[in-house]
Amino acid sequence: GEDVEQSLFLSVREGDSSVINCTYTDSSSTYLYWYKQEPGAGLQLLTYIFSNMDMKQDQRLTVLLNKKDKHLSLRIADTQTGDSAIYFCAETSGTGNQFYFGTGTSLTVIP
Amino acid sequence: DTGVSQDPRHKITKRGQNVTFRCDPISEHNRLYWYRQTLGQGPEFLTYFQNEAQLEKSRLLSDRFSAERPKGSFSTLEIQRTEQGDSAMYLCASSELRVEAFFGQGTRLTVV
């Protein structure tokens, strides 16, 4: 469960939807996470999904999970300039005691 | 403020010096994690405590690194004989259950 991959950059126009993608490797991960990091700051937990779910919606955020392909995505509806940040997906180790993070996707929202 | 607190926020040290960072988790969180993040990378796991017991350590945690959580509350991470490669953001997180881990603002270490 140590290879979590994300594309590095994404630019969208304000008001459009953003979709950030992630592939992971550990099929035993119980939970998968999305974190947001603003410049110089720590990580903010945005949402997580239990591995037996396909989709989770939380206000402007929609998480889709395809366990067969080990693919996770985060959709942000009506993207705002305040959404500009780096987004990390993460999976847990088999013990659940470690989080493995991707390299992060830098989202830039163009006004 | 009931979030995870880390101190200091920034530390500049000369190569070869020892540094110690402190993390105060959210109260009643029995799980505490240390991560390291270098520029352009995601956080990498260093170590994990459940209460005062250090249950997992990464191979990244060389013998120059030591972490403690003596009373199962706050934790310290010490780096001895710092090297330039130790320059990074050191992040602490805590959780009550395995599901949600909350991160602090981090301590940015610069070794000159």
Side-chain angles (χ1 to χ4, degrees), chain A residues 2 8 31 33 35 37 40-45 48 88 92-104, chain B residues 9 31 33 35 37 40-43 45 48 50 55-56 59 89 91 98-106 108:
Chain A
E2 298 186 29
L8 293 180
Y31 293 94
Y33 302 82
Y35 280 86
Q37 187 175 38
L43 279 75
Q44 174 193 353
L45 176 64
Y48 61 90
F88 292 94
T92 50
S93 64
T95 63
N97 296 331
Q98 295 185 32
F99 294 82
Y100 295 106
F101 288 84
T103 51
Chain B
R9 291 291 308 277
R31 294 166 174 262
Y33 313 80
Y35 281 79
Q37 185 179 23
Q41 298 297 317
F45 172 79
Y48 157 69
Q50 184 161 331
L55 297 184
E56 288 194 37
R59 62 183 181 275
M89 175 82 89
L91 295 164
R98 290 180 181 179
V99 178
E100 296 180 82
F102 297 91
F103 281 79
Q105 295 295 299
R108 181 167 295 284

Side-chain angles (χ1 to χ4, degrees), chain B residues 35-102:
Chain B
Y35 281 79
R36 182 176 72 184
Q37 185 179 23
T38 53
L39 200 62
Q41 298 297 317
E44 296 172 294
F45 172 79
L46 291 178
T47 191
Y48 157 69
F49 288 86
Q50 184 161 331
N51 299 311
E52 65 275 12
Q54 188 174 19
L55 297 184
E56 288 194 37
K57 289 196 292 186
S58 163
R59 62 183 181 275
L60 294 175
L61 213 67
S62 75
D63 57 5
R64 296 185 298 106
F65 287 70
S66 63
E68 293 182 346
R69 194 182 183 199
K71 296 181 181 178
S73 56
F74 73 92
S75 176
T76 58
L77 177 68
E78 181 184 16
I79 309 174
Q80 296 181 325
R81 304 181 303 281
T82 51
E83 301 172 357
Q84 286 189 320
D86 297 332
S87 295
M89 175 82 89
Y90 289 84
L91 295 164
C92 176
S94 72
S95 69
E96 185 175 11
L97 303 171
R98 290 180 181 179
V99 178
E100 296 180 82
F102 297 91

